[in-house]
Amino acid sequence: MAFSQVALKALQDVVGAENVSDDEIVCQSYSRVNWLPSGFLQRERLGTNMRPVCVVMPSSTEEVQAIIKIANRYTFPFIPRGSGYTFQAFPAGAGYVVIDPKRMDRIIELDGKNMHAVVEPYVCFAELQTEAMKKGLTCPTPLAGAQVSVLANYSWHGAYGNSWISGVGAHNLLSYEIVLPDGEIMRSGPPSLEKDEWFWNDGPGPDLRGLLRGGQFGHAGGLGMVTKISCRLLPWAGPTVFPTQGVGIEKTAPLPTDKFRWYMVKFPFKYP
């Protein structure tokens, strides 16, 4: 069954009419990858229309669960979206509904003692870094920039300029919560045992992080929608508020000279 007005009304009943849109202009804005040039707005040259038929914005795991159950009931495809910086962030064909969790933007917990944070999908690295530094902690920022989703990047196996010491995103992911394609909620690690302990990854409870990675770069929403993760944080010896100068795009942030040092190692080399 294709997406219908009946399905639209069902979604409105779950999240409110103001949080569902089938407006063509709104949907068009969800048909591109944010870091690609405007020429890639749609895959028209490939015969694929990437504009969704509807965009729905839940505010909780329970609302995501209800949306996915509606998708199963009315048999329309859906695609989860984070901050939109990867190819999998938009529909793969016609008739898709995009689930945009922009209303799920809370840092649920930031534990300075156990050095971890619990976040929802729309918490970006800039937000987490700001709050973590206040507690003497930090998180590595990916090369995509501090504006991307922490949850999406860690689930996607993100990489960083300092990955040699901090690890890639997969190493920073601890426990998580996901709504599966059938609408059931699954948790990895201690939360799966109804324990409110998100600061470790190996137990008690099953370690199901491999499900998110799904190979090298994750399942990209194909196995469900992640609604919450916990991630490890690292010690930060710098100031609680990072010093900045300037305004807007001219803003600069010099590294504290007593905390950072640059080394360039050069080896002699001769062509044979």
Side-chain angles (χ1 to χ4, degrees):
M1 181 187 299
F3 187 77
S4 64
Q5 290 299 307
V6 176
L8 178 66
K9 180 60 169 62
L11 294 175
Q12 291 174 339
D13 290 342
V14 170
V15 301
E18 68 277 12
N19 296 309
V20 181
S21 180
D22 61 350
D23 182 270
E24 288 189 1
I25 296 176
V26 172
C27 291
Q28 180 68 29
S29 67
Y30 284 83
S31 69
R32 70 182 298 268
V33 183
N34 286 342
W35 57 271
L36 289 178
S38 58
F40 286 81
L41 284 174
Q42 291 192 350
R43 292 179 183 170
E44 292 178 351
R45 71 183 69 179
L46 301 178
T48 301
N49 183 357
M50 291 156 46
R51 180 195 298 161
V53 294
C54 177
V55 177
V56 56
M57 295 175 286
S59 64
S60 66
T61 299
E62 291 71 27
E63 288 187 359
V64 172
Q65 182 182 37
I67 291 166
I68 292 178
K69 287 186 175 181
I70 290 172
N72 278 274
R73 179 179 179 182
Y74 294 102
T75 62
F76 59 80
F78 64 89
I79 184 74
R81 182 183 175 94
S83 43
Y85 280 83
T86 182
F87 289 109
Q88 292 84 6
F90 48 74
Y96 272 74
V97 168
V98 166
I99 304 177
D100 182 356
K102 66 171 56 179
R103 298 169 64 213
M104 302 173 67
D105 59 357
R106 297 181 302 150
I107 299 177
I108 298 172
E109 179 183 3
L110 206 161
D111 187 333
K113 178 180 178 181
N114 295 301
M115 296 195 299
H116 81 286
V118 182
V119 300
E120 291 184 322
Y122 248 70
V123 174
C124 71
F125 281 92
E127 294 173 284
L128 182 57
Q129 185 76 277
T130 299
E131 297 304 316
M133 288 169 63
K134 296 176 183 178
K135 295 194 175 186
L137 300 170
T138 184
C139 62
T141 300
L143 302 180
Q147 76 283 358
V148 304
S149 163
V150 174
L151 180 149
N153 187 265
Y154 283 168
S155 300
W156 185 77
H157 197 116
Y160 315 94
N162 58 350
S163 291
W164 61 275
I165 190 171
S166 64
V168 294
H171 296 112
N172 295 321
L173 177 68
L174 300 176
S175 301
Y176 68 88
E177 177 181 80
I178 184 173
V179 182
L180 298 172
D182 62 356
E184 294 300 313
I185 297 175
M186 186 186 76
R187 299 179 179 90
S188 174
S192 66
L193 302 177
E194 303 301 325
K195 294 180 177 290
D196 192 24
E197 299 174 352
W198 290 76
F199 62 87
W200 53 2
N201 51 12
D202 295 321
D207 180 0
L208 303 173
R209 288 172 297 171
L211 178 71
L212 295 191
R213 291 196 288 275
Q216 184 178 6
F217 292 120
H219 63 82
L223 297 178
M225 180 167 178
V226 182
T227 55
K228 187 187 304 180
I229 68 165
S230 62
C231 58
R232 71 183 179 119
L233 301 172
L234 302 171
W236 166 250
T240 56
V241 178
F242 209 87
T244 61
Q245 303 170 359
V247 179
I249 61 173
E250 300 297 329
K251 185 181 286 290
T252 60
L255 297 175
T257 57
D258 61 331
K259 303 299 180 185
F260 295 87
R261 185 174 299 166
W262 175 261
Y263 291 95
M264 176 65 73
V265 180
K266 182 179 180 181
F267 296 94
F269 177 79
K270 291 183 180 181
Y271 286 99

